[in-house]
């Protein structure tokens, strides 16, 4: 079946219920160049507390520490910027310039990807709750505030390889006094629409976190119909595949890495 959409009117030429089955998954010369996340950054109220949580409880390795002022001069001298905006003479601060001194600690997650904390003055005591806050433990009202509008970063999910690791991590956090949710299994009816298994919790600063697993070792993934993942009946125009044919959907890279 061919799916097309009028680029002028945005009106699809076939029934909307079929759109989600024809998704353009890859496109353009940058395909395949991004292989992961280099680093993510969250704020913490207390770096000592944050280090003890992310290093000692979650098991991440500390790989870099720095303290710097967020001005151009501070970035150039303390954070060792040798090119870019920090080394250029500026006409003066802009109306969005933030001038504070922050601590930063980088942690390695085991595969070269980094996670980082900023400690800065006046970090909100209660960060905005994630939009799906019902998934988090019942203590959420104690550590989060009701968001006045959705945030740019809703929550952060760490990956573990196997479902057994997920179960272990949940019990490990409970043993350390961390409030956690039940494990959410996404399996759908008759194993359709299966996705990650995960559970939810907060760090000491109230940042909403999740630990999740695809359990890539599960052989069922190799015969799974990944068209089940395309559930939005009204995808945005950029996602609609205008080409003809009914090509099988591309599986995620972790399903069969040797074949990618």
């Amino acid at each position: 079946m061919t799916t097309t959409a009028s680029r002028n009117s945005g009106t699809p030429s076939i029934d909307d219920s079929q759109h989600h089955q024809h998704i353009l998954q890859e496109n353009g010369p940058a395909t395949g160049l991004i292989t992961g996340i280099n680093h993510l950054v969250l704020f913490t109220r207390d770096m000592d507390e944050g280090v003890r949580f992310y290093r000692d409880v979650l098991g991440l390795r500390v790989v870099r520490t720095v303290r710097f002022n967020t001005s151009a001069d501070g970035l150039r001298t303390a954070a060792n910027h040798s090119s870019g905006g920090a080394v250029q003479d500026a006409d003066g601060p802009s109306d969005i310039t933030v001038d504070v001194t922050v601590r930063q600690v980088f942690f390695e997650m085991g595969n070269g990807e980094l996670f980082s904390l900023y400690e800065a003055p006046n970090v909100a005591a209660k960060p905005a709750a994630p939009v799906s806050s019902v998934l988090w433990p019942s203590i959420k009202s104690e550590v989060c505030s009701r968001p006045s509008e959705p945030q740019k970063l809703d929550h952060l999910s760490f990956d573990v390889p196997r479902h057994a690791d997920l179960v272990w991590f949940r019990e490990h956090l409970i043993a350390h006094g961390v409030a956690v949710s039940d494990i959410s299994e996404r399996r759908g009816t008759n194993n359709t629409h299966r996705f990650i298994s995960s559970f939810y919790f907060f760090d000491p600063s109230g940042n909403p976190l999740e630990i999740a697993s695809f359990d890539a070792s599960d052989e069922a993934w190799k015969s799974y119909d990944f068209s089940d993942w395309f559930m939005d009946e009204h995808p945005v125009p950029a996602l609609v595949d205008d080409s003809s044919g009914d090509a099988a959907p591309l599986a995620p890279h972790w399903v069969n890495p040797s074949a990618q």
Side-chain angles (χ1 to χ4, degrees), residues 1-206:
M1 177 182 294
T2 301
T3 60
T4 60
S6 168
R7 293 300 181 237
N8 295 325
S9 66
T11 301
S13 61
I14 65 168
D15 184 85
D16 283 344
S17 66
Q18 299 300 312
H19 277 195
H20 68 291
Q21 298 178 17
H22 301 270
I23 297 296
L24 182 62
Q25 292 181 258
E26 293 184 338
N27 191 42
T31 299
L33 289 181
I34 292 179
T35 59
I37 291 173
N38 186 281
H39 66 279
L40 298 161
V41 183
L42 293 180
F43 276 105
T44 180
R45 298 190 303 270
D46 184 331
M47 185 63 80
D48 186 69
E49 185 178 55
V51 167
R52 295 180 189 280
F53 183 77
Y54 286 96
R55 183 198 59 197
D56 301 347
V57 179
L58 295 191
L60 307 186
R61 176 183 295 177
V62 175
V63 295
R64 188 174 192 263
T65 65
V66 65
R67 187 191 299 212
F68 60 92
N69 184 271
T70 58
S71 66
D73 183 63
L75 290 165
R76 181 170 57 250
T77 56
N80 298 312
H81 281 243
S82 57
S83 65
V87 302
Q88 300 169 6
D89 292 331
D91 296 331
S94 73
D95 57 359
I96 61 167
T97 297
V98 178
D99 188 0
V100 297
T101 297
V102 300
R103 280 190 175 103
Q104 186 174 23
V105 172
F106 282 89
F107 304 83
E108 186 186 26
M109 293 188 280
N111 56 1
E113 295 178 338
L114 302 178
F115 168 76
S116 178
L117 289 176
Y118 277 154
E119 179 194 64
N122 303 320
V123 172
K126 288 188 175 184
V131 294
S132 299
S133 60
V134 66
L135 295 171
W136 269 261
S138 59
I139 63 159
K140 51 184 170 283
S141 61
E142 300 172 25
V143 296
C144 288
S145 60
R146 181 190 298 273
S148 58
E149 57 186 20
Q151 305 299 299
K152 288 185 176 180
L153 177 65
D154 184 77
H155 67 281
L156 177 60
S157 181
F158 295 106
D159 183 67
V160 292
R162 302 169 302 165
H163 192 278
D165 300 320
L166 189 73
V167 174
W168 180 91
F169 237 121
R170 184 176 181 274
E171 294 173 351
H172 172 70
L173 289 173
I174 291 173
H176 281 79
V178 178
V180 299
S181 73
D182 292 334
I183 292 177
S184 291
E185 302 285 3
R186 295 160 178 86
R187 292 291 180 265
T189 304
N190 298 324
N191 207 36
T192 58
H193 303 304
R194 67 178 301 188
F195 192 50
I196 59 173
S197 300
S198 68
F199 67 87
Y200 303 84
F201 59 105
F202 296 97
D203 79 356
S205 289

